[in-house]
Amino acid sequence: MNPRSDRRRFLALGTGSALAAAVGVHLAEPGRAWANPQFPDDPFRLGVASGEPYPDGVVLWTRLALDPVSPDGTGGMPDRVVAVDWQVAEDERFRQVVARGTATASPALSHSVHVEVTGLRPHRRYWYRFRTGGYTSPVGRTRTAPDPKAVINKLDFAFASCQNYYEGYYTAFSHLAAEDLDFVVHLGDYIYEGGGQGDLGRGHLPAAEAFSLADYRIRFGQYKADPELQAAHAAFPWLVTVDDHDVENNWAGSHSQPDTEPDQDPAVFLKRRADAFQAFYENQPLRLESKPDGPDMKLFRRRPFGRLASLHMVDTRQYRDILPTTQDDRDDPERTMLGANQERWLIDGLDRSQTTWNILGNQVFMFQADHTEGPDTRYGLDPWDGYTAARQRLFNAVADRGVENFVVLTGDAHRGTAADLKLDFDDPASRTIGTEFLGSSITSGRDGAAMDNLGRIWLAENPHLKFHNAQRGYVSCSVTPDAWQADYKVVPYVTRPDAPLELAGRIHVEAGKAGIAGVETAAG
């Protein structure tokens, strides 16, 4: 289509009543404005995304890039501010445009665009697109959240994590994009910081560990250019957070990873964290409230979905104490995973919640996991097992305050499990206060297997663990006022494309009854 006639058509479609308002959130230095941008090629190579659904709106995202992996980290874009038109419609063909406006894409934020659209109707599907320089973006589909007071009969969503680019193809995201969901939760490790190359022809760019802002921008450019990831982003609104590999493996608070850089000046790591956070914000559909301030980024937040569920997204990286160095240190009562302010925010929010289900979006697994066969015990120090007093404070609060239907969603471990959360994991007869669904990775760990040696040990040594699978995939959840169904969907391989989707297990939880009510597996 002729770019000029396409632009006239785009603007004409926006003459309908503007029922919504939007806030452009690029508040960085203005730079030089480009009055009439002309591009030699399509600048929408990184696709579109939406996120952070509210009852009256969502965040719309895109990032202009002519060369997403240009070595200087600019995305091949000039050092100019670019005006970008946007539209929201009630139909895929944009015959019923309900909101439109113009945002700015600044080089200070890698020519990303974040539009906070308001004035939309609750629990409704919309379509959106962007336009600049004679080019129109792909069309994205999104959905607003239900009104907090609305009675909702069903909520369908999925959660995923851990998508190491060089270890596999993003086939699981193609399957995810084909589902009918209200939203997606991504629990971290969206990128991996290392310079691994693998053997699939998907080696990391740059071909070294990411340290600088330019490095992280290039890495995001490589990941975001993947068409299967783009398809999943364009299909639903996402709620995202960071885990360790989004910055550096096993970082904790202001501390670099202890296994390789124990003596590093914290200021050096905080500069790295600031650069990683900025690139993360530039490439995700986040609200202005999450825009980083140097090495700090507010990621814990709460989102209600009618009277059916509340999603409490926590940040288990930014405020935690340094990792323990020995097994004996893990029980130190002074140690924190969430930090005092976030821990208080979470407990108070759970206590005040009026929804049927209370969902915790969490990065590292919460259930106790003994890694050793026989009477000896060994626990991981990076998950909540390394912060047992903090976990006990949270569990005690859930029990003491009568929080019902407590469900934790987790990533990071590259395996799928389902577990009862016990007030005392060492006593199988102890009270169950909730359920944890640990989702596997999208690609990290390569193909995997339905069962491996660690899975056999976990099931034998941890009676609260009810299901295990170590293949790649995601978890699709269907939630009603009476029950929760979690489907563990996996692909048999990721080291070559086009894998089929398989159901590894289906877990049932009944409202009002803490813990897992039933497990169905592919083997019967």
Side-chain angles (χ1 to χ4, degrees), residues 169-226:
Y169 293 91
Y170 290 166
T171 311
F173 278 134
S174 288
H175 293 295
L176 177 64
E179 297 213 21
D180 184 12
L181 304 172
D182 292 292
F183 59 90
V184 169
V185 178
H186 196 285
L187 295 168
D189 290 350
Y190 189 96
I191 64 166
Y192 276 66
E193 83 288 7
Q197 296 300 296
D199 56 6
L200 305 178
R202 291 168 63 89
H204 268 157
L205 295 173
E209 188 159 343
F211 281 95
S212 68
L213 178 58
D215 292 342
Y216 285 107
R217 283 173 167 172
I218 295 166
R219 189 64 52 83
F220 268 105
Q222 180 181 37
Y223 277 57
K224 300 288 283 191
D226 186 277

Side-chain angles (χ1 to χ4, degrees), residues 329-399:
D329 294 336
R330 49 192 289 274
D331 298 325
D332 183 343
E334 300 300 319
R335 291 174 50 73
T336 182
M337 173 66 89
L338 302 176
N341 290 338
Q342 184 182 193
E343 185 175 306
R344 183 167 51 251
W345 167 88
L346 174 60
I347 292 173
D348 289 348
L350 291 170
D351 187 32
R352 295 195 306 269
S353 175
Q354 299 296 310
T355 59
T356 301
W357 297 92
N358 284 285
I359 310 169
L360 186 64
N362 165 69
Q363 291 75 62
V364 292
F365 63 82
M366 191 171 284
F367 64 86
Q368 181 172 284
D370 180 8
H371 288 56
T372 302
E373 291 182 284
D376 293 337
T377 58
R378 181 174 61 85
Y379 303 98
L381 300 178
D382 183 61
W384 285 81
D385 270 341
Y387 300 77
T388 59
R391 179 174 63 195
Q392 197 62 53
R393 287 195 299 270
L394 175 59
F395 283 13
N396 288 344
V398 169

Side-chain angles (χ1 to χ4, degrees), residues 192-508:
Y192 276 66
E193 83 288 7
Q197 296 300 296
D199 56 6
L200 305 178
R202 291 168 63 89
H204 268 157
L205 295 173
E209 188 159 343
F211 281 95
S212 68
L213 178 58
D215 292 342
Y216 285 107
R217 283 173 167 172
I218 295 166
R219 189 64 52 83
F220 268 105
Q222 180 181 37
Y223 277 57
K224 300 288 283 191
D226 186 277
E228 294 180 302
L229 176 58
Q230 287 187 19
H233 267 298
F236 325 103
W238 284 37
L239 295 108
V240 301
T241 191
V242 301
D243 197 17
D244 55 337
H245 289 290
D246 297 297
V247 181
E248 177 192 55
N249 183 44
N250 286 351
W251 67 276
S254 61
H255 301 279
S256 182
Q257 55 182 338
D259 51 342
T260 61
E261 299 169 88
D263 300 320
Q264 186 184 82
D265 182 349
V268 174
F269 172 71
L270 288 177
K271 174 60 168 64
R272 182 182 186 182
R273 195 176 91 181
D275 289 343
F277 279 3
Q278 178 166 339
F280 188 87
Y281 174 79
E282 291 169 350
N283 287 278
Q284 300 289 8
L286 286 163
R287 292 185 177 271
L288 180 60
E289 65 186 14
S290 294
K291 186 175 182 290
D293 180 10
D296 303 317
M297 179 165 58
K298 185 178 182 297
L299 287 168
F300 64 89
R301 69 266 198 206
R302 187 174 291 113
R303 298 288 182 262
F305 291 89
R307 295 171 61 181
L308 182 59
S310 294
L311 175 61
H312 312 260
M313 291 285 286
V314 297
D315 178 348
T316 62
R317 286 289 163 195
Q318 203 170 167
Y319 312 104
R320 65 159 71 185
D321 285 325
I322 192 170
L323 269 64
T325 55
T326 70
Q327 292 285 320
D328 293 337
D329 294 336
R330 49 192 289 274
D331 298 325
D332 183 343
E334 300 300 319
R335 291 174 50 73
T336 182
M337 173 66 89
L338 302 176
N341 290 338
Q342 184 182 193
E343 185 175 306
R344 183 167 51 251
W345 167 88
L346 174 60
I347 292 173
D348 289 348
L350 291 170
D351 187 32
R352 295 195 306 269
S353 175
Q354 299 296 310
T355 59
T356 301
W357 297 92
N358 284 285
I359 310 169
L360 186 64
N362 165 69
Q363 291 75 62
V364 292
F365 63 82
M366 191 171 284
F367 64 86
Q368 181 172 284
D370 180 8
H371 288 56
T372 302
E373 291 182 284
D376 293 337
T377 58
R378 181 174 61 85
Y379 303 98
L381 300 178
D382 183 61
W384 285 81
D385 270 341
Y387 300 77
T388 59
R391 179 174 63 195
Q392 197 62 53
R393 287 195 299 270
L394 175 59
F395 283 13
N396 288 344
V398 169
D400 294 345
R401 302 185 185 213
V403 178
E404 293 190 334
N405 305 318
F406 179 57
V407 176
V408 178
L409 312 178
T410 303
D412 181 70
H414 308 170
R415 57 189 63 242
T417 69
D420 288 340
L421 297 178
K422 309 292 287 186
L423 200 57
D424 180 358
F425 283 110
D426 293 325
D427 178 7
S430 174
R431 177 181 172 184
T432 299
I433 56 98
T435 303
E436 181 170 16
F437 296 121
L438 169 61
S440 186
S441 62
I442 294 295
T443 61
S444 303
R446 294 173 66 91
D447 291 338
M451 184 57 67
D452 60 10
N453 188 54
L454 181 58
R456 284 186 284 269
I457 293 173
W458 274 16
L459 288 171
E461 299 297 322
N462 304 283
H464 46 276
L465 203 66
K466 307 299 182 182
F467 169 80
H468 177 276
N469 177 279
Q471 293 171 293
R472 309 297 148 237
Y474 59 92
V475 182
S476 181
C477 299
S478 182
V479 183
T480 72
D482 300 318
W484 182 305
Q485 177 179 301
D487 288 352
Y488 284 71
K489 298 181 178 180
V490 301
V491 290
Y493 50 84
V494 295
T495 51
R496 59 188 193 275
D498 302 324
L501 190 69
E502 301 172 353
L503 181 64
R506 175 168 288 165
I507 316 301
H508 300 274

